[in-house]
Amino acid sequence: MAPWWRRLLATRWLVLVAVALLALFLFSELGVEILEPGANRVDQATRNWVLAHQWPPLVTLCRVLTTLGSTVGTTILGLAVTAWLWLRRHRRIASVIATAPIVASAGFDGLKHVFMRTRPPGAALARITTYSFPSGHATVAAAVWLTLAYTLRRERLISRPATLALGVGWPVVIGLTRIYLDVHWATDVLGGWCLGAAIAAMATGLYEHLERRAARAA
């Protein structure tokens, strides 16, 4: 029988593969849905509700949060953490974390030009002219923070509550700010979360693969 650690790593690997496939499936379903005639009804209803409940102080807070969680800022942060870990000789973790912002940034940008979806009217007021689906903020936030939280937790560098706050809480907040500021449709953000989760699952799957190789070598 295989050692317990090999069975555990194999199980984690299978779970991460399943998560990646599920997230990609949900993303593809959303992509097909937004191309259907009349698919904007739910998004429009969500937008109408949000606009009816906008509160100026909360709008200001969302602008601050969405700036902190920008695609550029999150990518730079992810690469900065990568460099720090590399210098501290945590090269296995660094190589994993580096993949998340790079793949996420290239992925959402390319897919925007595939779907070519128009943003809600609020984007014009904010002078945002890029396509809408998927949300870059949601994609990069989910990819980077889920990867970062998972690997740091596996290395026992952060607590379980911190893992949930970083990996789930922050990407959710960033995505919701995009809807609240009327610069993205709700399905744009859902698509971004799905795409980002798939990228994170693949990145952390790479981490488990490298862990398995290291365990075998030991």
Side-chain angles (χ1 to χ4, degrees):
M1 182 179 292
W4 66 269
W5 53 264
R6 186 174 296 177
R7 297 197 302 272
L8 181 60
L9 288 176
T11 302
R12 283 190 173 129
W13 169 260
L14 290 175
V15 169
L16 290 169
V17 169
V19 169
L21 292 176
L22 176 61
L24 288 174
F25 171 76
L26 293 175
F27 176 83
S28 65
E29 287 294 300
L30 285 168
V32 171
E33 181 66 24
I34 67 170
L35 295 176
E36 295 292 332
N40 228 29
R41 292 174 185 171
V42 174
D43 280 323
Q44 190 61 58
T46 304
R47 178 176 181 265
N48 292 340
W49 187 91
V50 168
L51 293 179
H53 293 82
Q54 279 187 334
W55 183 42
L58 188 53
V59 170
T60 301
L61 176 61
C62 284
R63 285 173 179 162
V64 173
L65 293 174
T66 205
T67 300
L68 292 174
S70 68
T71 56
V72 174
T74 303
T75 300
I76 291 174
L77 175 64
L79 295 177
V81 172
T82 298
W84 179 75
L85 289 170
W86 187 273
L87 292 174
R88 291 179 61 86
R89 298 184 183 279
H90 294 284
R91 295 183 177 180
R92 183 178 64 255
I93 311 174
S95 62
V96 169
I97 293 175
T99 62
I102 295 171
V103 174
S105 297
F108 84 77
D109 188 56
L111 287 167
K112 280 181 184 290
H113 288 85
V114 171
F115 290 97
M116 296 188 293
R117 191 186 197 187
T118 303
R119 288 179 183 259
L125 298 176
R127 297 181 180 179
I128 301 175
T129 58
T130 55
Y131 292 121
S132 194
F133 183 88
S135 164
H137 279 66
T139 301
V140 175
V144 172
W145 289 104
L146 277 170
T147 302
L148 186 61
Y150 182 94
T151 52
L152 292 181
R153 176 60 183 168
R154 286 282 282 114
E155 294 293 323
R156 299 181 181 178
L157 296 175
I158 59 175
S159 65
R160 185 172 296 176
T163 303
L164 292 174
L166 290 176
V168 179
W170 183 243
V172 167
V173 168
I174 294 303
L176 292 178
T177 63
R178 307 304 286 168
I179 300 172
Y180 197 76
L181 293 173
D182 194 33
V183 295
H184 270 297
W185 304 105
T187 47
D188 297 338
V189 172
L190 289 174
W193 284 335
C194 290
L195 181 60
I199 293 169
M202 289 185 282
T204 51
L206 173 60
Y207 168 86
E208 295 296 346
H209 172 69
L210 295 175
E211 278 287 284
R212 192 171 185 176
R213 287 182 58 185
R216 282 178 175 174

